[in-house]
Amino acid sequence: MELSAKVRDLIQKARIVSFSTWQNTHPSASIALLQAADDGGRYLSDGDLQQIQALAPASTALIPVATMLRDRATDIVDAARSEVLAKFPAITEPGGGLHPPARAEACWRDFWHFLRCITYGIVGQHTDYTSAEGLHYMQLLYQELHVPLDAMVVGLEGVKAASLKHVEPDRQAAIAPYFDRLIDELKKFR
């Protein structure tokens, strides 16, 4: 499927994460590592995480949680996909919001990227990791592509639930707000 110039432009501008409020808690070298990972659309590597921990040791207590989520991303996204398909059984059928299969694959890929962005917030212990401008463009992109928002919210809630199953019970309350931040933002798209 060929994307229009408008959609390609919106994709470039639809950046979920912003590190603009992190200067008081993280040195610029640490922020640069996070920004490079985001620019590359990738999770932080073990090497990135070790460098961030060395640069900003006071604010990296949750790195093991982010590492675990990164390492289990495929299973977490699979669980979120199952939630969406259970709640919206016809969504991938002809006429459904995630048909043809390329649309469904883009949705599942978004769940992977949502989790990636959430891990950045967790690594830096910043629940304010979202970009208002980037989310505005993401909303415009989703409107342009007629993305089924109810399904996306259910999927992101599924990402949260599947992720928290892997977090020790005494840490779940501390980790949940990182997911809630993005869930709440996505709910505003409706």
Side-chain angles (χ1 to χ4, degrees), residues 44-55:
L44 292 160
S45 69
D46 288 341
D48 293 332
L49 293 168
Q50 288 168 355
Q51 288 182 59
I52 291 168
Q53 193 157 17
L55 290 164

Side-chain angles (χ1 to χ4, degrees), residues 43 68-70 72-84 107-119 122 129 151-167 175-176 178-180 182-183 186:
Y43 284 82
M68 178 275 301
L69 294 173
R70 176 200 68 196
R72 295 180 181 253
T74 300
D75 295 337
I76 291 167
V77 170
D78 287 348
R81 176 187 311 133
S82 295
E83 290 283 322
V84 170
C107 172
W108 316 142
R109 203 169 32 253
D110 279 359
F111 295 160
W112 186 89
H113 283 292
F114 291 158
L115 181 60
R116 173 181 63 81
C117 293
I118 290 165
T119 65
I122 292 170
Y129 61 89
M152 296 305 287
V153 170
V154 166
L156 190 48
E157 289 170 339
V159 167
K160 175 186 174 184
S163 296
L164 291 180
K165 285 180 184 174
H166 299 293
V167 175
I175 300 302
Y178 297 95
F179 292 90
D180 295 339
L182 194 49
I183 292 167
L186 205 57

Side-chain angles (χ1 to χ4, degrees), residues 122-148:
I122 292 170
V123 164
Q125 293 182 295
H126 274 269
T127 55
D128 62 341
Y129 61 89
T130 57
S131 162
E133 180 181 6
L135 287 166
H136 167 73
Y137 286 115
M138 186 176 174
Q139 181 177 9
L140 294 176
L141 175 65
Y142 276 20
Q143 288 170 353
E144 183 71 19
L145 295 175
H146 306 288
V147 173

